[in-house]
Amino acid sequence: MPDTARTLAIKGPEDFAAQFPVSRETLERLKTYAALLPQWQKAVNLVARSTIDNLWDRHIADSAQLFDLAPEARTWLDIGSGAGFPGLVIAILRAQHGQGGVTLIESDRRKCAFMKEVCRQTGIAVDIVEERIESSATHDRVGSVD
């Protein structure tokens, strides 16, 4: 797992691949995600505008670092997913290993639409819950997570 100082040097997909052991397919999925975000950012405030130019180190690498923190986890929950960080990155990395089990909770319909489009274009399967975490229906749907 890279340390924070090393991840600051990640400016693009090549730098990411040099520091994180990912397959070509996984890197392509991350590149697709990274390409969609600025397109959608124009209509939906997904991340702070000031972080768009640092997408690979500020969002993608930061999210990827979490993957190694819970190697035994079978189910992941991202509450208030927004643009899908860290949940979609975790889902993309888990897909590389034939694993699923990522649930994203976001109450903003537009942000959910963005995350669904990322899933469609990358071919990953996640459960996107368009509800507030406080909702009892959300609790019933999510169940227990690691």
Side-chain angles (χ1 to χ4, degrees), residues 1-3 5-10 13-22 61:
M1 175 171 63
D3 62 40
R6 288 179 61 206
T7 61
L8 293 176
I10 297 174
E14 294 78 19
D15 295 336
F16 181 89
Q19 293 187 35
F20 290 89
V22 297

Side-chain angles (χ1 to χ4, degrees), residues 2-139:
D3 62 40
T4 305
R6 288 179 61 206
T7 61
L8 293 176
I10 297 174
K11 300 299 179 199
E14 294 78 19
D15 295 336
F16 181 89
Q19 293 187 35
F20 290 89
V22 297
S23 68
R24 229 173 314 159
E25 181 182 16
T26 297
L27 189 59
E28 286 304 314
R29 286 174 167 161
L30 291 169
K31 286 165 67 174
T32 297
Y33 184 11
L36 285 168
L37 195 131
Q39 293 171 10
W40 280 67
Q41 178 74 17
K42 296 171 187 171
V44 181
N45 186 28
L46 296 166
V47 297
R49 188 177 316 144
S50 63
T51 67
I52 292 288
D53 291 337
N54 300 317
L55 185 63
W56 282 92
D57 60 89
R58 177 71 189 266
H59 296 293
I60 296 173
D62 280 354
S63 297
Q65 291 181 85
L66 297 176
F67 183 74
D68 290 333
L69 294 179
E72 303 301 319
R74 293 178 188 232
T75 56
W76 288 72
L77 178 65
D78 181 359
I79 301 170
S81 298
F85 298 112
L88 286 178
V89 173
I90 297 293
I92 290 170
L93 295 174
R94 287 181 60 82
Q96 174 175 294
H97 301 288
Q99 302 167 334
V102 178
T103 300
L104 310 170
I105 299 178
E106 175 57 55
S107 61
D108 186 312
R109 178 182 44 83
R110 299 168 306 147
K111 291 177 181 177
C112 287
F114 166 73
M115 292 188 292
K116 288 175 184 175
E117 182 62 13
V118 170
C119 292
R120 187 186 73 73
Q121 288 199 29
T122 59
I124 60 168
V126 300
D127 186 17
I128 299 173
V129 179
E130 190 179 325
E131 294 282 340
R132 296 194 57 80
I133 188 61
E134 299 89 359
S135 163
S136 61
T138 304
H139 288 251

